[in-house]
């Protein structure tokens, strides 16, 4: 590494900086930008995310079972116990649906803020959606790839719009 220019021996070109121009991919949680070219341990990360989210969902179900047994021991009645089970089932189903749809479209921030409590209660549904999506791709990869490809297309259109020498342009009379 050269101490003079801070690089590994190659000076910056006079044409511009050494960094590439254009849009940069948005990093995904647990994946960074490895989703772009599926490199640097992408498959291992996907397997780890799948295993981790499934293990967390299983552990969460175990904790909920202990809570359910606590309600049974407290003998608070079948109605309240049924309401609690129904609440977790409905919230988990809604959280699953919301998380699954967030992998393909950007969620509305206002709606997300209003659903925050429901998503916290139905966290098992979110974990299961994360597990299922990580079996096929990095969760959110399709959305990010579509946005990144579109940004690259727009950048290419902007940078290659002009052709030819503008000095040789014919003047209209």
């Amino acid at each position: 590494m050269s101490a003079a220019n801070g690089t590994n021996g190659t000076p910056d070109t006079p044409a511009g900086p050494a960094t590439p121009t254009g849009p940069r991919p948005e990093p995904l949680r647990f994946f960074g930008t490895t989703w772009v070219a599926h490199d640097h341990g992408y498959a291992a990360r996907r397997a780890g995310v799948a295993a981790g989210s499934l293990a967390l969902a299983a552990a969460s179900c175990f904790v909920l079972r202990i809570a359910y047994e606590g309600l049974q021991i407290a003998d608070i009645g079948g109605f309240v116990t049924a309401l609690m089970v129904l609440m977790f089932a409905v919230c988990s189903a809604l959280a699953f649906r919301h998380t699954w749809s967030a992998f393909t479209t950007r969620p509305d921030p206002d709606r997300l803020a209003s659903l925050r409590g429901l998503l916290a209660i139905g966290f098992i549904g979110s974990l299961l959606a994360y597990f299922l999506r990580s079996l096929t791709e990095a969760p959110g990869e399709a959305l990010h790839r579509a946005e990144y490809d579109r940004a690259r297309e727009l950048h290419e259109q902007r940078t290659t719009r002009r052709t030819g020498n503008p000095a040789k342009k014919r003047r209209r009379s």
Side-chain angles (χ1 to χ4, degrees):
M1 184 165 203
S2 173
N5 58 10
T7 62
N8 53 0
T10 58
D12 287 340
T13 60
T19 59
T21 61
R24 297 177 192 262
E26 186 177 343
L28 290 174
R29 179 181 294 153
F30 305 122
F31 293 92
T33 57
T34 61
W35 61 268
V36 177
H38 293 187
D39 56 353
H40 301 296
Y42 171 81
R45 289 178 190 213
R46 254 189 46 210
V49 165
S53 59
L54 186 62
L56 282 173
S60 300
C61 287
F62 179 71
V63 169
L64 286 179
R65 180 184 164 145
I66 291 173
Y68 176 78
E69 288 175 357
L71 289 175
Q72 294 293 2
I73 291 170
D75 195 28
I76 58 172
F79 180 72
V80 175
T81 304
L83 279 178
M84 188 194 100
V85 170
L86 182 68
M87 174 196 64
F88 272 105
V90 168
C91 289
S92 290
L94 291 173
F96 178 90
R97 183 186 171 284
H98 175 77
T99 304
W100 190 263
S101 67
F103 293 143
T104 55
T105 59
R106 293 266 180 194
D108 179 32
D110 295 332
R111 184 172 181 264
L112 186 64
S114 67
L115 291 176
R116 187 159 288 141
L118 183 130
L119 294 175
I121 294 170
F123 63 97
I124 294 175
S126 293
L127 288 170
L128 290 176
Y130 216 79
F131 166 71
L132 290 175
R133 183 59 110 186
S134 63
L135 293 177
T136 58
E137 67 176 10
E141 180 181 346
L143 173 65
H144 285 77
R145 186 170 302 284
E147 291 174 350
Y148 179 61
D149 289 344
R150 180 68 182 144
R152 281 191 8 222
E153 285 176 15
L154 291 174
H155 178 73
E156 287 294 321
Q157 288 175 358
R158 284 193 310 267
T159 56
T160 60
R161 185 168 295 171
R162 286 184 44 213
T163 58
N165 186 352
K168 293 183 179 179
K169 187 175 179 182
R170 298 176 101 192
R171 303 279 183 210
R172 292 183 188 172
S173 37

